[in-house]
Amino acid sequence: MSTYRLGVIRGDGTGPEVVGEALKVLDSVSDGFDVRQVEFDLGAERFLRTGDVLPDAELDGLRGCDAILLGAVGDPRVKPGILERDLLLKIRFELDQYVNLRPVIRYPGVPTLVPSHAESDVDFVVVRENTEGLYVGAGGAFRKGTPQEVAIQASVNSRFGTERIVRYAFAEARKPGRRRHVTLVHKTNVLNYAGDLWARVFAEVAAKNTDVETAYCHVDAACIYFLDDPRRFDVIVTDNMFGDIITDLGAMIQGGMGVAAGGNINPDGVSMFEPIGGTAPDHTGKGTINPLAAIGALEMLLRQLGEADAAERVDRGIRASTGKMTSMRAAEMGYSTSEVGDLVVEGAAT
Ligand code: IPM
Ligand code: MN
């Protein structure tokens, strides 16, 4: 029987509540394998208490896990940028989690913001590059604080980094349930250097994967199609910044942040899975937050570990629960946080 070392970062705000529900679900589906949970006390609370964001010892501890489940990090008391860059992005970069995989699936019975969407219209996955682009922090500020101030923020796009993410997208398009179709989303009409590299690499990889259909779409047009014609998408591959933005729109057409999960994946290393919605300070400690995004993250984590049966059971559990809930929004679900967890456990068992 396999034993997995699972790193758990419960984090701040509603993070601990939703992670608690995901672990409850994990417990109910993990009869075919063992899980050893290792807790990492990281996030705003730790930072405010000790000044530590991500000490080396803890980073090494994370490297030693088979997978990581993250709740959420952040707090209005911490200056924006610290936890984002020195914790979340540092883990993504240091563990070389170069794929940010964000499924955009509308589960059964989930109310939509877009009345023209049929339930099955929304079923695609965004493969967001996760270690390059504008997120690298390349650039500089000059004459700061003067009227002549200059700020340069450069997007870093390597051939290596572009090629590996595009290859991943093509492989993703062949997975069960996918339709062997990959769309490159970029802005090649304006970004003449980065867009040109992405377009050439995409064409090269496409030429070696002729069983997969391809399309191209500018990022602004992609936003229109998310609302107007989401069926045209199966797998989207895009850069870090565009991927960040369009996946929030993706979350909204799938039913909101309450159901949006994502994975920061290193296919040859340690991957980290998270609900993408954040800490929801207004709901902290009230038992009103929707845990389905965290439970969806758990499903992705199990798939990444190769525990497909357990992942399928979690998927069944999620699909059984959504139809019963009145809304995916916090405090409007018709159930408490832990009751939603119970619905999933129940559905996973059948
Ligand atoms: C996300 C978040 C992060 C990002 C922030 C918190 C750094 O918005 O996971 O999408 O921009 O990647
Ligand atoms: Mn984001």
Side-chain angles (χ1 to χ4, degrees):
M1 193 147 80
S2 308
T3 301
Y4 301 110
R5 201 177 161 81
L6 175 66
V8 179
I9 306 173
R10 294 176 194 255
D12 307 307
T14 50
E17 291 167 67
V18 297
V19 167
E21 294 312 306
L23 293 176
K24 178 165 95 185
V25 173
L26 174 62
D27 200 45
S28 81
V29 298
S30 58
D31 31 13
F33 52 93
D34 278 330
V35 176
R36 291 216 351 248
Q37 286 171 33
V38 187
E39 299 278 344
F40 290 86
D41 173 22
L42 296 170
E45 289 298 337
R46 164 84 180 270
F47 173 67
L48 290 167
R49 210 171 60 240
T50 67
D52 292 330
V53 180
L54 179 58
D56 287 346
E58 261 132 318
L59 182 59
D60 285 342
L62 291 170
R63 287 186 213 281
C65 293
D66 292 299
I68 303 162
L69 184 64
L70 167 72
V73 294
D75 189 295
R77 292 169 296 170
V78 180
K79 206 173 122 209
I82 296 179
L83 297 169
E84 289 86 343
R85 264 198 301 277
D86 299 342
L87 181 56
L88 192 59
L89 298 183
K90 191 166 172 190
I91 295 174
R92 290 177 183 172
F93 284 26
E94 286 288 329
L95 273 54
D96 201 22
Q97 295 165 339
Y98 67 85
V99 183
N100 195 324
L101 190 67
R102 296 190 163 177
V104 180
I105 301 167
R106 191 167 150 218
Y107 291 116
V110 172
T112 177
L113 289 173
V114 191
S116 63
H117 288 177
E119 219 157 77
S120 61
D121 285 353
V122 181
D123 182 1
F124 59 92
V125 58
V126 178
V127 175
R128 164 187 174 191
E129 202 291 322
N130 211 31
T131 50
E132 297 196 344
L134 283 166
Y135 279 68
V136 164
F142 307 99
R143 306 191 206 109
K144 192 168 175 177
T146 74
Q148 292 79 31
E149 180 163 353
V150 176
I152 299 174
Q153 194 89 48
S155 176
V156 175
N157 298 264
S158 70
R159 170 168 271 277
F160 168 77
T162 307
E163 198 174 313
R164 67 179 179 174
I165 194 70
V166 170
R167 282 183 191 284
Y168 189 95
F170 277 80
E172 188 67 26
R174 286 202 193 87
K175 291 202 176 144
R178 297 263 60 102
R179 292 180 278 123
R180 295 191 177 215
H181 187 284
V182 183
T183 305
L184 171 64
V185 167
H186 210 283
K187 186 75 184 176
T188 54
N189 52 345
V190 175
L191 301 180
N192 47 341
Y193 302 119
D196 178 54
L197 174 63
W198 274 80
R200 278 183 291 118
V201 168
F202 186 74
E204 284 168 24
V205 176
K208 290 187 196 126
N209 292 274
T210 48
D211 60 318
V212 176
E213 273 185 278
T214 60
Y216 171 79
C217 179
H218 292 318
V219 63
D220 45 352
C223 293
I224 296 176
Y225 295 138
F226 271 31
L227 301 181
D228 203 40
D229 186 17
R231 276 173 309 189
R232 69 166 64 212
F233 299 120
D234 180 32
V235 176
I236 288 176
V237 65
T238 192
D239 85 354
N240 208 341
M241 187 82 259
F242 294 147
D244 176 48
I245 298 167
I246 65 173
T247 53
D248 272 16
L249 185 56
M252 292 318 287
I253 64 167
Q254 72 179 116
M257 285 301 181
V259 285
N264 302 278
I265 296 174
N266 176 342
D268 311 304
V270 185
S271 302
M272 174 168 75
F273 298 84
E274 54 178 333
I276 70 179
T279 53
D282 292 352
H283 294 282
T284 301
K286 296 183 180 160
T288 51
I289 194 75
N290 189 344
L292 286 181
I295 296 170
L298 169 73
E299 177 188 336
M300 295 178 76
L301 183 151
L302 289 167
R303 250 180 242 292
Q304 185 67 22
L305 289 175
E307 296 296 341
D309 287 349
E312 279 308 313
R313 284 164 68 187
V314 176
D315 194 60
R316 275 208 302 281
I318 294 172
R319 286 170 190 278
S321 65
T322 50
K324 297 183 182 142
M325 296 162 66
T326 46
S327 166
M328 296 300 119
R329 297 176 91 92
E332 296 171 18
M333 306 182 293
Y335 296 90
S336 70
T337 303
S338 70
E339 284 168 348
V340 172
D342 293 342
L343 288 178
V344 177
V345 168
E346 217 174 273
T350 56

